[in-house]
Each structure stands twice: as structure tokens, then as C-alpha cells.
Amino acid sequence: MITTTVSALLAIKPEQRERILTAPRTAEAHRALLSDLPAMNALQTGGEASSKKLPGNFTVTAWNVERCLFPEETADHLSNIAPDVVLLSEVDHGMARTGQRHTTEAMASALDMAYAFGVEFHELDLGGPTERAFCSDNFNALGWHGNAILSSAPFERTALIRLDDHGHWFAADAGAADPDQPRVGGRMAIAAVIPTANGPVCFVSTHLESNAAAAHRHEQFLALLNALDQFAPDMPILVGGDLNTGNHLPPDFDWRHETLFELAEERGYNWGFTADGPTTRPSLISPHPDRVMKLDWIAGRDLTCVDKGALSSLDQNGKPLSDHDCVWSKVTVADHQAPNKS
């Protein structure tokens, strides 16, 4: 668990890039690379919160924004829900395909929110053919890609939780998903304790592995739950994000085959914060997805869901802002600061 926060993430130095490109494709080499990059071992925080505390009844969204091609439009689209907390997956920072922008910072500014951003991957290339069509340059200024939490109230504390370090997308001995395009990093989560009118709540933005079987996601989610027990013991917790449920589970790719749901329930989490129905659709980057799946979820512990739904990623003109729809939940937190009246 990493609790270091910085106002800016350090860029990869030329000698570090050379080490990445020439390193053997092994889990051991990947762990050494991961530990050598300061930006992979800190959270960037910034923005300005518009209130001191969240209300006791708040709205949270979880959205995989697929690189976040259109940060201001994406933020404006969320006005349909007016969330107090936004959990984001797949946000770029210094990538050519998104204009070298810090997309999390741009969204936070548009929403008048504070943010915490963490690096999932350092990407060394520009992406696939449909992504290259959006590239403003033939290089990435930073190459950061990750998760974020946006909040209308300030963070009390934050943590970056790495869910694997063996280099699933880098190391040949880990079954590299794309051995010709090395990426340093791995799936991760960001946890943030945010004050509410009824006491602090821990919010978590996570992204589990797509290119793996259910057992791998089970182990990642177990690692996350164990870390949260350490980070926020005896505190209400809300976890949201792209859990990639059903991916690589042929022949039907059904999320119900995942074992992480029962795992979380055994630990006191409730999946009733997520609306029914699939959450993926064709987009500008993924124009013809092979499958329509339910990948995006919100789960709560010691919290009450009073409403829930999904916001289509199609804007008012029918343009897809992402290949995922946004899931949302209206949540009540009991006043656990109140004295016992019994």
C-alpha cells in the first residue's frame, strides 16, 4: 500500500526508458522496473473541493471513460447525475491520443472537484489503430494511464493499492497480454477517505484484469479487500469500477461465473448498489465490440443504497464518450458519529 502523495508525477527519464525497453520480459525484472519509477509509487493530488464535507446522502458514479478522449464533455455529461464523488477508470495523463492532456485534472476543474490520480500503466507506444487516429503527436509526453477519484469534498487521506506486480502485460513468464508493446505496471486501486456529514467514508476506484480468468480477478479482489481492511477498518466503504466480470470466460462470458461476488459478500459487502443490465457499447475507439457485457459495479459495506441506475455514454448528439456506460448510486451513510441513545 502506497500513501505518498505528490503535486506532480515525475516523467520517465531517457535512461529509465532504455532500461524498460531492454529489460528481460520476466516478473522479476518487472518488479525492479516498477520500484524504480517514482510516478508508479505515489498518488498525484490536486484540484479544489467545493465543500468541506459530503452530505449524509450523496451520489457516487463509477465510469470507465476509455482513455477520456473528451474530458470537458465527459464532465458535462455527468451533470445529468450531479455526483458528489466520481470513480474513474482508464484516464490518460500525457498521452498523444488524448492531446497530451491530464484528463483527470481537466475533469476535476470542470466539476469543481479535488482529485487523486494513480498510474496503472506506463505505456511506451501510442495504442491501437483507432487510438492513433486521435494522436496529436508521434510520442507520449508522459505515457501515464490509470485510475482516479474526484470529490466535491477534500480527501482526509489516500492510498494506492497495487493488485499485482508481476507484469501481466509485460513479462513473458506471466503470459504477457501484448509482448510486442511493453507496459510497466498492473491493475490497481485508489482508496480515499472523505468526510461526510455523518462521518468519514472510504471510497475506492479500481480496475481488475481483463485478460485473465475469473480466478485471477478473485485474487486481485481478495488483495484489495485485505488492503481496505488495513486502510479503513471499521469504516463504511464504497468500491466502484470496471471489474471486467465475464471477460475471458467462454463460451458465454457471463459475469455470474465470477467468484469475487461471493467473496465480497462474505466480507460484508452488498452488490445491490449496481443497476441491472449490461454496461458496454460500441465507441470511437472500440467501434465493433465482440460482446456486450456487464463489467462495471458499485458495492457497499455499512451503507444503504436508496437509488441506482446507469447513464448512457452517448452524449446529446449520439456520440459515444466511452465504450462503457456510467453506473451510479445514491447512498445514505448512517450517522455513526451520533451518541448511542439506547
Side-chain angles (χ1 to χ4, degrees):
M1 187 184 306
I2 298 165
T3 57
T4 301
T5 59
V6 295
S7 60
L9 296 173
L10 294 178
I12 297 288
K13 298 177 181 178
E15 59 268 26
Q16 290 172 320
R17 179 180 173 86
E18 183 63 22
R19 280 201 296 273
I20 293 170
L21 294 174
T22 59
R25 302 293 181 84
T26 66
E28 182 180 5
H30 180 266
R31 291 186 182 101
L33 292 170
L34 195 63
S35 65
D36 186 47
L37 303 176
M40 307 293 287
N41 294 279
L43 282 173
Q44 182 182 11
T45 55
E48 293 188 12
S50 56
S51 59
K52 293 182 178 180
K53 291 183 179 181
L54 301 180
N57 300 296
F58 57 81
T59 301
V60 62
T61 64
W63 196 1
N64 179 327
V65 290
E66 195 186 26
R67 292 46 156 180
C68 201
L69 290 171
F70 314 105
E72 285 82 11
E73 292 174 63
T74 300
D76 182 65
H77 196 57
L78 285 173
S79 64
N80 294 285
I81 301 173
D84 300 287
V85 176
V86 179
L87 310 176
L88 294 175
S89 306
E90 290 198 17
V91 281
D92 278 356
H93 181 6
M95 294 286 297
R97 63 197 177 199
T98 43
Q100 311 290 13
R101 301 186 69 190
H102 191 343
T103 60
T104 297
E105 188 172 70
M107 281 192 65
S109 177
L111 292 167
D112 294 323
M113 288 182 164
Y115 72 83
F117 167 79
V119 178
E120 183 176 67
F121 293 115
H122 171 57
E123 301 200 16
L124 289 133
D125 209 342
L126 302 179
T130 55
E131 293 171 287
R132 289 171 184 263
F134 292 95
C135 288
S136 56
D137 303 298
N138 62 358
F139 65 92
N140 296 322
L142 292 172
W144 305 133
H145 180 71
N147 296 348
I149 298 178
L150 280 56
S151 173
S152 59
F155 304 118
E156 290 186 353
R157 51 194 176 91
T158 58
L160 187 157
I161 302 166
R162 293 224 167 267
L163 304 178
D164 59 58
D165 61 4
H166 61 273
H168 192 85
W169 290 75
F170 177 83
D173 61 356
D178 190 351
D180 295 322
Q181 185 183 324
R183 306 180 195 176
V184 177
R187 304 303 182 179
M188 44 80 80
I190 299 173
V193 174
I194 303 174
T196 80
N198 294 337
V201 174
C202 178
F203 294 84
V204 185
S205 174
T206 193
H207 191 192
L208 301 188
E209 185 54 59
S210 57
N211 190 57
H216 188 83
R217 286 185 286 274
H218 180 107
E219 291 303 313
Q220 288 185 324
F221 210 69
L222 176 61
L224 174 58
L225 296 183
N226 288 341
L228 292 176
D229 284 346
Q230 177 184 349
F231 179 72
D234 304 318
M235 184 181 296
I237 298 177
L238 203 69
V239 179
D242 175 4
L243 305 188
N244 273 304
T245 42
N247 256 322
H248 283 255
L249 296 182
D252 52 0
F253 303 93
D254 192 335
W255 60 266
R256 284 176 284 262
H257 297 317
E258 299 279 350
T259 58
L260 62 84
F261 294 110
E262 184 177 356
L263 169 68
E265 289 168 354
E266 291 171 351
R267 304 284 283 266
Y269 289 84
N270 181 351
W271 294 99
F273 292 75
T274 309
D276 294 335
T279 60
T280 62
R281 66 172 58 247
S283 71
L284 299 179
I285 290 177
S286 305
H288 304 292
D290 295 332
R291 300 180 297 276
V292 176
M293 295 183 289
K294 186 176 182 64
L295 305 182
D296 306 273
W297 298 85
I298 300 174
R301 186 184 80 181
D302 298 330
L303 294 162
T304 300
C305 175
V306 296
D307 198 7
K308 58 191 175 183
L311 173 68
S312 167
S313 63
L314 299 179
D315 70 7
Q316 60 183 356
N317 298 315
K319 180 175 70 176
L321 300 174
S322 171
D323 62 338
H324 291 244
D325 289 340
C326 171
V327 294
W328 59 266
S329 181
K330 293 185 182 295
V331 180
T332 296
V333 52
D335 188 354
H336 50 282
Q337 291 183 336
N340 190 334
K341 298 180 181 180
S342 61

Short mmCIF file of all heavy atoms in Angstrom, two decimals, residues 5 61 217 233 305 307 329:
data_model
loop_
_atom_site.label_atom_id
_atom_site.label_comp_id
_atom_site.label_asym_id
_atom_site.label_seq_id
_atom_site.Cartn_x
_atom_site.Cartn_y
_atom_site.Cartn_z
N THR A 5 1.87 11.12 -1.50
CA THR A 5 1.16 11.98 -2.45
C THR A 5 2.10 13.06 -2.95
O THR A 5 2.98 13.54 -2.22
CB THR A 5 -0.08 12.63 -1.81
OG1 THR A 5 0.32 13.41 -0.68
CG2 THR A 5 -1.08 11.57 -1.36
N THR A 61 -20.61 7.99 -8.75
CA THR A 61 -20.61 7.35 -10.07
C THR A 61 -19.31 6.58 -10.25
O THR A 61 -18.27 6.94 -9.69
CB THR A 61 -20.72 8.38 -11.21
OG1 THR A 61 -19.55 9.22 -11.19
CG2 THR A 61 -21.95 9.22 -11.08
N ARG A 217 -8.99 -12.57 -11.20
CA ARG A 217 -9.72 -11.43 -10.66
C ARG A 217 -10.10 -11.67 -9.19
O ARG A 217 -10.13 -10.73 -8.39
CB ARG A 217 -10.95 -11.13 -11.51
CG ARG A 217 -10.61 -10.47 -12.85
CD ARG A 217 -11.84 -10.07 -13.61
NE ARG A 217 -12.53 -11.20 -14.20
CZ ARG A 217 -12.23 -11.74 -15.38
NH1 ARG A 217 -11.23 -11.23 -16.10
NH2 ARG A 217 -12.91 -12.75 -15.86
N PRO A 233 -10.30 0.28 8.57
CA PRO A 233 -11.02 -0.65 9.45
C PRO A 233 -12.21 0.03 10.12
O PRO A 233 -12.14 1.22 10.46
CB PRO A 233 -9.95 -1.06 10.46
CG PRO A 233 -9.00 0.09 10.49
CD PRO A 233 -8.97 0.63 9.09
N CYS A 305 -28.11 1.80 -0.07
CA CYS A 305 -28.42 2.31 -1.41
C CYS A 305 -29.89 2.71 -1.45
O CYS A 305 -30.77 1.90 -1.15
CB CYS A 305 -28.11 1.25 -2.46
SG CYS A 305 -28.60 1.71 -4.14
N ASP A 307 -31.08 4.55 -4.32
CA ASP A 307 -31.43 4.59 -5.74
C ASP A 307 -30.19 4.22 -6.53
O ASP A 307 -29.05 4.34 -6.04
CB ASP A 307 -31.93 5.99 -6.14
CG ASP A 307 -32.71 5.98 -7.45
OD1 ASP A 307 -32.98 4.87 -7.99
OD2 ASP A 307 -33.05 7.07 -7.94
N SER A 329 -25.02 5.46 -8.04
CA SER A 329 -25.80 5.05 -6.87
C SER A 329 -25.98 6.23 -5.94
O SER A 329 -25.05 7.01 -5.72
CB SER A 329 -25.09 3.91 -6.14
OG SER A 329 -25.83 3.48 -5.02
#
